[in-house]
Amino acid sequence: MKIADVLLVAGKELRETLRDRRTLAVMVLFPLVVYPLVSLATVQVLSARITRAEKVPARVTISGPQPLADKLRARLAARNHAGSEDFALSTGPASAADVRAGKIDAAVAIDNPTGGASAASPVRLLYDETQERSRTARSRIEEALAPTAEPGCAAGYAINVEGVAPRTAMGGYLLSKILPLIIIVMVMLGAFHPAIDITAGERERGTLETTLSAPIARAALMTGKVVAVATLAALSGVLNLASMSITVLEGAKLASAGATISVPWANAGAAALLVIPPAAFLFASVMVAIGALARSFKEAQTLLTPVYFLCMAPSLLAALGDFQLTAVAAFIPGVGITLLARDVIAGHASVGVTVAVFASCVGYGAVALALACRLYDSERLLGTDDVGLGLRAWLRHLVLGPRAEPVETSDAPPTAGHAIALFGVGVVVMFAFAPLQQWRLALGLALFEWVGLFGLTAAYARGSGRRLTAVLRLRMPSASAVAGAALIGSSAWLVVGLLAEWVLPPPKELVDKLRDVITPGEGRGAFALALLLTAFTPAVCEEALFRGPILRGLRTRFSPVGAAVITGLLFGLFHLSVWRLLPTAVLGFGLSIIALSADSIIPAMVAHFANNACIIAIAVGSSGHEDGTMTTKLRLALVALGTAGLAAGGALLARDYRTRRMRKTAPNDAADHRL
């Protein structure tokens, strides 16, 4: 065997693999961009949840003989005086039923000693092992009431921990900690290969043209495919649910030395009925829609593997975080269905959130199904993607310039593929500048924005042979467009920020950190420095990238609203914060609409600057006030004021748009009149 032959074959295979741009994008974009973003979001949510749980006081009732009860109550109250509200104490009978019902988190019951007056008094600590708050209360009480005694003397009391959960509840609790994630993962796995086979597999076998020529509507065709995949996924979920239920309970029985644990078969059956069908429909629709983009079985596997990970990440977060199933969580894909499975198995799911989760899964699945129908209704399905400037030619042109390799300067808009690639490179650039921002915040922010983001946009324009002004759509807008953008930017924070804070309030630590970032300095020039670094600089540099090549590139493939939605979502993801995702995504959508309606990036920059400047002014003005609470009436009044500003700004932009449309059609009307 010759080494030269081995290297020759290896080089040939590598070239063939890397020649496929989609495979290359998945290999590079997801490990460098998507996986870090998902991991950071997971860590942020879990960290915020742990911090909030630690600050919630445990509701504890102490009952029993007065002297010892007062002593124990004083020891628990001393923890509150130490700077943390660990306990919310109350008096009354310590009832296991109250603990089980969730009225209190734990109960301390003091019994009379049975071994004489000198014997230690037995203290029973009642808690519910199936509730997280009750388990937290138990650990706090045990730490605070650890019996102490003088040397040579017996302790005054002895703590006996008693769980109040019945065996059926314990069985449901054990299943609810493990089975929800397994159900979701197995349903996704059950949809993975069938979705590939009925889309890319059909194209690879050469039967796609025959299927498309059948006298069947494309919507019916794709719905039938999704129903078939969902059926297989649901069957896989049911079988795994039954198998893992028995396995988990038998393992728990062995771990507890043969203790009997009751199996909540009714709850498991309810989970199979309420959770698996909507989850199967959702994941089948998503995977069929993505599989329809692939040209081969191999490419479908490459595309669906990261999709599988992205679908599993919210479910994993919900399973690890032990969150409450609220109205907001019910509409988060993956999170709501996982929390519903947990609550159904544990036996405390409500009808309202069950309907909400079911409706959200069906709604998201319908959107994915509509996308799949649109893909199969397009003639591009049978064609291949256009090939643009190759990577080697792009790099050569970027480094050597147009003299070494003549490339015509073009005003053609970027492509959608270029837009996604630029977003990925921008995220990598952000991670690269993160250590510099931690070392010197002001310097790091300036270099990241001007060298990283604006430099990336300029490098793309040069490397692709396009003029920077064309890539940015840098045109002089009308006065009404600028005024409308300024009004929208000045009002957006009132509506978007206050409503987002109302629906999903961020942790106090995040608010303090953002205030430090927004106002990086003190003294007389602090406000001017903040305006320069966190208002003017992002308004120019971030808009140059997102409302420049990213928005313009996505516009070549999607409608104006679709391009604005995707750009806004990418803009929200770019800020690396779960709590800021919603407001920044909505703001990015609004800025994209402004740039498209004005046909210029300048109004979007003006709106971005106005929005950030208002936030900076509020942060600087309230820096000396610790109490940031706001009454409901004041919040609603500010939202109404912001809505009026948004309406006025939108009216100015709409008038400018109509005026430009009339100017474009006027010459054609005059020519028709002459004819």
Side-chain angles (χ1 to χ4, degrees), residues 183-547:
I183 292 175
I184 301 303
V185 170
M186 291 305 172
V187 169
M188 285 192 292
L189 189 60
F192 185 85
H193 291 287
I196 294 176
D197 184 68
I198 69 170
T199 53
E202 187 177 35
R203 176 182 289 188
E204 202 170 58
R205 291 190 296 268
T207 59
L208 177 61
E209 292 81 356
T210 304
T211 302
L212 295 178
S213 63
I216 301 175
R218 299 293 169 86
L221 174 65
M222 294 309 302
T223 303
K225 289 178 178 290
V226 169
V227 169
V229 175
T231 302
L232 296 174
L235 180 61
S236 175
V238 170
L239 294 177
N240 280 279
L241 174 63
S243 175
M244 292 305 299
S245 298
I246 299 175
T247 303
V248 170
L249 292 175
E250 289 298 324
K253 185 184 298 184
L254 293 175
S256 58
T260 303
I261 299 178
S262 183
V263 181
W265 292 112
N267 294 347
L273 180 64
L274 297 175
V275 175
I276 292 180
F281 175 71
L282 171 62
F283 297 129
S285 301
V286 171
M287 292 187 179
V288 168
I290 301 300
L293 298 172
R295 295 165 295 184
S296 64
F297 201 94
K298 173 186 174 183
E299 186 179 18
Q301 287 181 317
T302 303
L303 293 176
L304 283 179
T305 298
V307 172
Y308 183 91
F309 171 80
L310 291 177
C311 292
M312 185 177 64
S315 301
L316 180 63
L317 174 63
L320 294 178
D322 201 10
F323 298 94
Q324 296 296 322
L325 181 53
T326 60
V328 176
F331 288 92
I332 301 177
V335 174
I337 196 70
T338 305
L339 296 180
L340 178 61
R342 180 203 64 187
D343 289 353
V344 170
I345 295 174
H348 50 78
S350 63
V351 177
V353 293
T354 301
V355 174
V357 172
F358 195 92
S360 66
C361 287
V362 173
Y364 294 136
V367 172
L369 177 58
L371 176 61
C373 294
R374 182 176 180 181
L375 289 172
Y376 263 67
D377 199 36
S378 174
E379 297 300 330
R380 291 179 298 178
L381 184 68
L382 302 177
T384 58
D385 293 337
D386 297 333
V387 179
L389 188 63
L391 178 62
R392 180 184 302 178
W394 185 87
L395 291 175
R396 185 186 300 117
H397 177 67
L398 174 63
V399 175
L400 300 179
R403 293 182 180 178
E405 182 184 342
V407 177
E408 288 188 12
T409 301
S410 173
D411 289 344
T415 65
H418 292 171
I420 299 300
L422 282 172
F423 173 74
V425 176
V427 174
V428 175
V429 169
M430 177 174 52
F431 286 129
F433 278 87
L436 182 59
Q437 295 183 36
Q438 294 177 357
W439 177 57
R440 290 288 188 273
L441 179 59
L443 177 62
L445 282 174
L447 290 178
F448 163 64
E449 295 282 351
W450 290 104
V451 178
L453 298 186
F454 194 85
L456 174 62
T457 307
Y460 167 76
R462 176 181 174 85
S464 60
R466 293 173 170 86
R467 293 187 302 146
L468 181 60
T469 55
V471 170
L472 298 180
R473 199 60 178 173
L474 193 61
R475 298 174 62 254
M476 183 58 65
S478 65
S480 61
V482 174
L487 272 175
I488 292 176
S490 303
S491 307
W493 68 275
L494 287 172
V495 179
V496 178
L498 292 178
L499 289 180
E501 184 182 357
W502 201 354
V503 175
L504 192 64
K508 185 177 182 302
E509 294 78 8
L510 176 63
V511 176
D512 295 338
K513 183 178 180 181
L514 287 178
R515 181 177 286 111
D516 295 337
V517 174
I518 290 173
T519 58
E522 297 180 357
R524 299 178 58 183
F527 184 70
L529 178 63
L531 285 179
L532 177 62
L533 285 180
T534 54
F536 176 76
T537 294
V540 174
C541 301
E542 293 180 6
E543 291 305 301
L545 178 62
F546 283 92
R547 255 56 65 180

